[in-house]
Amino acid sequence: MRSLRLAFIGGLLTYRGLFGWLSPWIYIPNLLVRPVIQILLFVQIGRAAGIENPQFFVIGNAIQFTAVPCLFGMVMTVADERSQKLLGITMSSPAPRLPLFLGRALPVAVVGLLVSAFCIAASTVILNFSLPGKAIAPLLLVILVAAASCTGLGLVNAAIGLRHRAAIVVANILDLLLLLLSTADIPARALPHPLRVLSGYIPLTHAIAAGRQLAAGATLQAVAPEIGREVAVGAVYFIVGLITLKYLEFSSRRSGSLETA
Amino acid sequence: MSQRPGRARRAAAGLHVVFVIWRIHVKLYLASPFEGFLNIVWPLFFAAMAFLIDDATGNHVIMRYTLFGIAAMGVWSSVAVSGSSLLQHARWGGMLELIVAAPRSFSLILASMTLALETTAVFSFAATLIMARYLFGIPVRIDDPALFIVAVVLTMIAMGMFGFVLAVSAVRYRSAWVIGNVLEYPGWILCGFLVPLALLPAWAHPVSDVLAPTWGIEAMRAAAGGQSPWTGLLICGALAVAYVCAGVLIARAVVQSARVHATLALS
């Protein structure tokens, strides 16, 4: 019960205090307008090049954009504790680390889900296409899995942020790598072989594949293997993130470098 | 006759100020992970994506039209994202009041800073062309190198002046960097960097026409293809002058308003 309280209330408080994009002046343009424009950009490129249909780019980019709140949100809610002078207090508290950091990941994943769902809804209106009604609920599940999986990668980056100041720059690079490798905009066949192999081991790739199949009329059972792979990839990143956090917290204490990064 | 040496001295002093501010800011931006590293790397990723998508078509539909536009994407990103938050960074660094109170024109200082941003963006322009040639094997053919360089320089200056307008317009907006983030992709679309302007809806064409990069890129393509780039160059130059005039007027109004209401450091 204490762990649940720590995860939910602690997570919510941290999100409200440290997620720097909550102001509508930032949230609306950055998390609602920008992704829709990104979709329109790639739809235009697809039209110019004569490859794929708008739906390909809408589903791909909408799911890929979960990366923005999940990667940047995790950096803000963990590594930005330093700029608020709270990192030492957090790290010296006796709170168990698993609920502490899982709680911080939850609101960020929910924001990822909302942003992605908004992108798909806005794009269906702007680009005048429709999704099968039965696909909507499974698609939301896929997006939630994608957001959670990406939050795992965000946790790894946030952990690195405990020791290195450049975590926000790394978040930008990771976002670009996900855009390039997750097949959000580039069909898998167009990726060079090593990149195609790599794309199977990063968050979002399998969720995007599942999302596209659902939008094309597939059932939830049919895409279950892809969802399972996305869950597995996300779980690996979460575990790596928690281990990295634990290790860097310990090494920061030993070397007295928590506040000096 | 007696005024001429004075004017010449003032002009030389003005150029000296532009040069000093430009040099300091180029050094600052190149050392910054955002204005230096990310402004170069970010458009390279998008360029790589465009090249891969083009590869997938098999007949190089995109590349036939848009190689130089893709190279210029980073310059636009630099203008939009870094330009819009230029004064916000100055405010955070405690420099804004000093810049406004300096005995030199606020517009001159700001325009020099945006020119420095554009200079650092040249690296992304060059890096994209090098990547296209050596990583993707795309031939970079330039029939008239002299006019091509003129077109590149003029486009950079015009984009810098657009950044100047953006920077002064966003000075009272606390989250100015978001404006830049939101303007990045529309600029890529409306200036025809990635897709031919003919594919855009009719309502977008007048907007494209008042953006100097549209004409600058047109001039680059013409010079590279051995055609006359002069129409594009003239319109691009005229728009750059218009941006300077608009920027100076906006800067005067904004600084005056901030002084009267004592809000320079508050917004």
Side-chain angles (χ1 to χ4, degrees):
Chain A
M1 194 63 199
R2 193 179 293 171
S3 289
L4 279 177
R5 187 172 172 274
L6 178 65
F8 283 96
I9 298 179
L12 188 63
L13 284 174
T14 314
Y15 170 71
R16 288 176 61 189
L18 291 172
F19 188 72
W21 296 348
L22 278 181
S23 155
W25 290 99
I26 300 176
Y27 196 101
I28 293 172
N30 209 33
L31 291 179
L32 300 182
V33 177
R34 184 179 161 89
V36 174
I37 300 174
Q38 181 178 311
I39 289 170
L40 297 179
L41 171 75
F42 281 102
V43 167
Q44 284 287 351
I45 294 173
R47 276 185 186 148
I51 59 160
E52 305 297 348
N53 53 26
Q55 195 168 295
F56 174 90
F57 295 104
V58 170
I59 300 294
N61 283 286
I63 295 180
Q64 190 280 331
F65 212 85
T66 57
V68 172
C70 296
L71 290 174
F72 291 87
M74 284 313 290
V75 173
M76 288 181 210
T77 54
V78 178
D80 277 5
E81 293 256 38
R82 183 183 294 112
S83 56
Q84 305 294 323
K85 308 289 178 204
L86 293 168
L87 191 58
I89 298 168
T90 306
M91 290 300 151
S92 59
S93 77
R97 297 305 187 241
L98 187 66
L100 184 74
F101 291 114
L102 278 182
R104 287 164 191 232
L106 270 177
V108 169
V110 171
V111 172
L113 168 71
L114 294 177
V115 166
S116 184
F118 173 82
C119 288
I120 292 175
S123 302
T124 55
V125 175
I126 295 169
L127 296 169
N128 196 23
F129 78 94
S130 58
L131 289 170
K134 63 173 186 167
I136 292 172
L139 197 53
L140 287 175
L141 174 71
V142 165
I143 296 170
L144 186 62
V145 170
S149 166
C150 206
T151 306
L153 180 61
L155 190 63
V156 176
N157 185 35
I160 294 168
L162 286 184
R163 288 296 294 270
H164 296 283
R165 217 179 289 184
I168 202 85
V169 177
V170 178
N172 275 289
I173 301 293
L174 289 174
D175 180 33
L176 287 170
L177 282 171
L178 290 177
L179 195 61
L180 180 72
L181 298 175
S182 67
T183 69
D185 297 299
I186 305 170
R189 66 177 186 280
L191 286 173
H193 181 68
L195 297 184
R196 204 181 314 153
V197 172
L198 184 63
S199 78
Y201 297 97
I202 61 168
L204 304 181
T205 305
H206 300 292
I208 289 172
R212 282 183 182 137
Q213 287 174 41
L214 286 169
T219 61
L220 185 60
Q221 285 87 344
V223 299
E226 288 286 12
I227 297 175
R229 281 190 277 273
E230 185 69 36
V231 170
V233 169
V236 168
Y237 281 102
F238 246 110
I239 292 166
V240 171
L242 287 171
I243 292 170
T244 316
L245 268 169
K246 191 86 185 158
Y247 170 73
L248 290 178
E249 181 192 343
F250 173 72
S251 70
S252 298
R253 280 182 173 172
R254 197 174 51 182
S255 58
S257 59
L258 201 59
E259 295 291 347
T260 56
Chain B
M1 287 296 285
S2 61
Q3 284 185 341
R4 277 188 185 166
R7 274 186 196 160
R9 210 177 297 130
R10 274 202 297 275
L15 281 176
H16 179 71
V17 168
V18 170
F19 175 71
V20 169
I21 296 169
W22 172 84
R23 192 183 59 183
I24 290 172
H25 282 85
V26 165
K27 285 181 182 173
L28 279 174
Y29 296 147
L30 285 178
S32 155
F34 280 94
E35 277 79 19
F37 179 69
L38 270 184
N39 272 351
I40 294 171
V41 169
W42 182 272
L44 277 183
F45 270 87
F46 279 89
M49 288 172 71
F51 296 150
L52 287 169
I53 290 174
D54 189 62
D55 247 6
T57 67
N59 51 5
H60 302 295
V61 177
I62 298 180
M63 236 25 74
R64 248 185 251 153
Y65 175 79
T66 196
L67 177 62
F68 299 113
I70 290 174
M73 286 191 316
V75 187
W76 175 266
S77 297
S78 177
V79 162
V81 180
S82 303
S84 60
S85 53
L86 206 59
L87 290 178
Q88 188 64 39
H89 286 292
R91 181 182 284 123
W92 287 340
M95 298 294 291
L96 188 56
E97 290 84 350
L98 296 175
I99 292 172
V100 170
R104 278 286 166 184
S105 155
F106 177 64
S107 300
L108 187 72
I109 296 171
L110 202 52
S112 310
M113 290 161 75
T114 53
L115 274 180
L117 264 180
E118 291 316 287
T119 310
T120 55
V122 170
F123 288 102
S124 94
F125 187 88
T128 307
L129 291 183
I130 291 168
M131 182 176 79
R133 177 71 190 85
Y134 294 104
L135 199 61
F136 290 89
I138 297 165
V140 182
R141 198 184 125 189
I142 299 168
D143 284 349
D144 192 337
L147 278 178
F148 179 79
I149 290 170
V150 171
V152 171
V153 171
L154 188 64
T155 308
M156 300 282 174
I157 293 172
M159 286 204 215
M161 293 309 103
F162 184 79
F164 164 54
V165 175
L166 211 56
V168 288
S169 307
V171 67
R172 299 286 294 274
Y173 182 32
R174 199 183 300 190
S175 308
W177 61 272
V178 180
I179 297 178
N181 266 11
V182 172
L183 286 179
E184 189 177 28
Y185 297 149
W188 291 358
I189 299 172
L190 290 168
C191 296
F193 289 159
L194 281 158
V195 290
L197 292 172
L199 291 180
L200 300 184
W203 62 262
H205 289 190
V207 185
S208 298
D209 288 346
V210 295
L211 294 170
T214 307
W215 300 99
I217 297 296
E218 203 58 51
M220 278 186 221
R221 285 178 187 138
Q227 296 161 332
S228 168
W230 289 108
T231 309
L233 287 176
L234 283 174
I235 299 176
C236 182
L239 284 169
V241 173
Y243 294 158
V244 172
C245 297
V248 169
L249 291 175
I250 296 169
R252 273 188 200 154
V254 166
V255 169
Q256 179 64 14
S257 162
R259 278 182 168 157
V260 167
H261 298 102
T263 51
L264 196 61
L266 301 178
S267 48

